[in-house]
Amino acid sequence: MEIKAKNIGVAIKGKTIFNNVSFEIKSNEMVAITGASGSGKTTLLNCLGLIQTISSGNILINDKNVTKWNDKQKTKFWHEHATFIYQDYGIIEDETVSYNVTFNKRQSRDKDVNEILKNVGLDGRGKELASVLSGGEKQRLGVARSIFKNANVIYADEPTASLDAKNRQLVIDLLKRRVQSGATVILATHDERLVKECDKIIDLSKFETILNKG
Ligand SMILES: Nc1ncnc2c1ncn2[C@@H]1O[C@H](COP(=O)(O)OP(=O)(O)O)[C@@H](O)[C@H]1O
Ligand SMILES: [Mg+2]
């Protein structure tokens, strides 16, 4: 999916978080939103995911202006196209790990779900309650969900924050594979190792977009 921000700004309780930010994200791109702690990375990610409303400017998805979309339109977008990998968001603690991957929405065989869990290093954990997972395991459960859903756009907030070197590389490789199969991946991160794998960087400290490659 193509996502465009045109002069967008957010002010919360009179305080400007960021202002006049413009950029373009294309399909098949992995994009990093970077900047110091408190610079507005999570806020910008939430705006692009239509979770948070912007105070000024416009957001376009596939050239459609979505700035004034109502709840029904947003819900349809989240349902059909988006997944969110947030450590403390969207995991249903008192359901099993498997349920959290599939939401039982599709007839899915245990074997397929376990194959995905294996990919994220959660082999054989499907029947456990999500509440027993560590922060890092929940991050990877979020990745498993996005693989299962085959989402067009993946929003991830600090997806490598709680991961050791091995699992960090695992998550990076999985996200890159999703990009290769056509997804757009948008990450808020200050992990330099993840940033350098991205095609584009939106740096909120400098208010500029840097093309890494191509
Ligand atoms: N709901 C909110 N109410 C008040 N201030 C907020 C709210 N959400 C974010 N902020 C403020 O906006 C700034 C950016 O926050 P955030 O987007 O979480 O930054 P980052 O993810 O880069 O660390 C911070 O100063 C934070 O305190
Ligand atoms: Mg943040």
Side-chain angles (χ1 to χ4, degrees), residues 15-208:
K15 181 184 150 203
T16 300
I17 311 297
F18 54 80
N19 198 22
N20 223 12
V21 171
S22 299
F23 53 81
E24 266 185 55
I25 296 170
K26 300 200 183 79
S27 300
N28 299 50
E29 268 185 353
M30 185 151 100
V31 176
I33 301 168
T34 63
S37 179
S39 61
K41 299 184 292 296
T42 299
T43 305
L44 177 57
L45 190 70
N46 288 342
C47 292
L48 299 177
L50 313 185
I51 292 171
Q52 179 156 350
T53 47
I54 50 178
S55 315
S56 56
N58 289 288
I59 293 174
L60 283 74
I61 296 179
N62 288 347
D63 284 322
K64 200 173 285 162
N65 194 334
V66 303
T67 313
K68 297 205 166 68
W69 266 5
N70 61 30
D71 286 348
K72 199 179 157 196
Q73 289 170 302
K74 285 191 252 188
T75 304
K76 188 172 189 287
F77 170 73
W78 295 325
H79 184 78
E80 290 179 358
H81 301 295
T83 49
F84 295 86
I85 304 172
Y86 282 32
Q87 192 166 317
D88 53 2
Y89 172 94
I91 304 258
I92 305 165
E93 302 275 342
D94 56 0
E95 291 285 358
T96 63
V97 168
S98 291
Y99 182 89
N100 271 280
V101 175
T102 63
F103 293 112
N104 284 1
K105 263 183 196 135
R106 255 187 272 164
Q107 208 61 28
S108 44
R109 290 179 304 162
D110 287 352
K111 193 171 144 280
D112 298 334
V113 177
N114 199 51
E115 195 55 40
I116 292 173
L117 288 175
K118 209 163 147 183
N119 272 309
V120 300
L122 291 173
D123 197 9
R125 309 283 302 269
K127 291 197 165 61
E128 290 178 40
L129 284 184
S131 56
V132 308
L133 299 182
S134 70
E137 287 169 342
K138 283 177 188 163
Q139 297 285 69
R140 287 182 278 134
L141 174 57
V143 176
R145 177 185 287 173
S146 75
I147 295 171
F148 181 81
K149 188 172 173 181
N150 240 326
N152 301 109
V153 50
I154 297 171
Y155 300 91
D157 195 8
E158 308 283 1
T160 56
S162 329
L163 304 181
D164 56 27
K166 179 170 153 268
N167 283 311
R168 180 191 310 116
Q169 198 52 51
L170 194 140
V171 165
I172 291 174
D173 291 344
L174 287 167
L175 290 173
K176 286 179 85 168
R177 228 186 291 164
R178 296 293 305 122
V179 171
Q180 277 154 18
S181 44
T184 304
V185 175
I186 310 173
L187 314 151
T189 183
H190 56 258
D191 179 351
E192 280 307 320
R193 287 154 296 201
L194 180 54
V195 171
K196 73 172 198 284
E197 302 276 351
C198 289
D199 304 297
K200 195 178 269 177
I201 301 162
I202 298 158
D203 188 345
L204 282 175
S205 305
K206 298 185 194 131
F207 294 118
E208 65 182 11

